[in-house]
């Protein structure tokens, strides 16, 4: 069976988890406590020597790192994959944009503002810089989404999921959503797709069963 190693609250872990759920694939979710450093433990390093999550072990024996690479692997041959060469190129372009212009700034700003708020005061300068950098990229994304329902003309798919991972929690990074009306409308569209499950439910069943 496919196994996804992930941590609660992570936008990057949310991406493959959502794809697996929306495609109704059977998989085993293994939660890793990154706040306690479990991803650097000897036992986990034997699974992933890089010591990071998300990490995917497929039912065909392949191991895959990097959340966006997982999206391509899991969506192969499904309705969530871009259908043409042009759209596949556009999808990759937006995924590179997400990993270079959005995630590196939204993620740490959110981490130190919301997940570890006790550190926000001492990191106020860094948080402000991350917020400013993310905001510039968000204006570009908002312009792209104006007058369109999803990221690509072909409709909802892994491109939306890749961008959605951290953009939908930008307010937790201290960035007001009301500055980006097209992004807000798009988040609502994604949240209403078939089989959508919100980030807050990642690992919930496992926690209840523990």
């Amino acid at each position: 069976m496919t196994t996804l190693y992930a941590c609660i609250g992570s936008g990057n872990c949310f991406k493959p988890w959502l794809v697996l759920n929306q495609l109704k694939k059977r998989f085993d979710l293994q939660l890793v406590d990154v706040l306690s450093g479990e991803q650097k433990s000897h036992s986990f390093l034997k699974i992933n020597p890089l010591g990071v999550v998300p990490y995917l072990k497929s039912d065909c024996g392949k191991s895959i790192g990097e959340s966006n690479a997982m999206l391509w692997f899991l969506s192969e041959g499904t309705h969530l994959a871009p259908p043409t060469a042009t759209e596949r190129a556009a999808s990759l372009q937006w995924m590179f944009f997400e990993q270079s212009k959005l995630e590196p700034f939204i993620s740490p700003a959110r981490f130190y503002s919301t997940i570890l708020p006790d550190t926000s005061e001492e990191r106020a300068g860094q948080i402000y810089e991350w917020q400013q950098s993310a905001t510039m990229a968000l204006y570009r994304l908002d312009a792209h989404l104006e007058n369109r329902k999803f990221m690509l003309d072909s409709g909802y798919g892994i491109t939306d999921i890749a961008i959605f991972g951290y953009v939908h929690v930008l307010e937790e990074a201290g960035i007001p959503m009301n500055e980006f009306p097209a992004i807000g409308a798009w988040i609502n569209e994604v949240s209403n797709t078939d089989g959508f499950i919100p980030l807050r439910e990642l690992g919930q069943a496992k926690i209840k069963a523990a």
Side-chain angles (χ1 to χ4, degrees), residues 107-126:
S107 177
R110 173 178 176 254
F111 185 79
Y112 291 111
S113 296
T114 300
I115 298 175
L116 290 182
D118 292 344
T119 65
S120 61
E121 186 174 345
E122 64 184 87
R123 291 184 177 269
Q126 283 180 299

Side-chain angles (χ1 to χ4, degrees), residues 14-25 70-71 74-75 78 80 156-158 161:
F14 175 69
K15 299 175 196 178
W17 180 79
L18 179 58
V19 169
L20 285 162
N21 278 285
Q22 290 196 301
L23 291 177
K24 297 180 172 58
K25 291 181 180 283
M70 294 175 202
L71 302 190
L74 293 169
S75 69
T78 76
L80 294 180
Y156 177 71
I158 59 172
I161 294 169

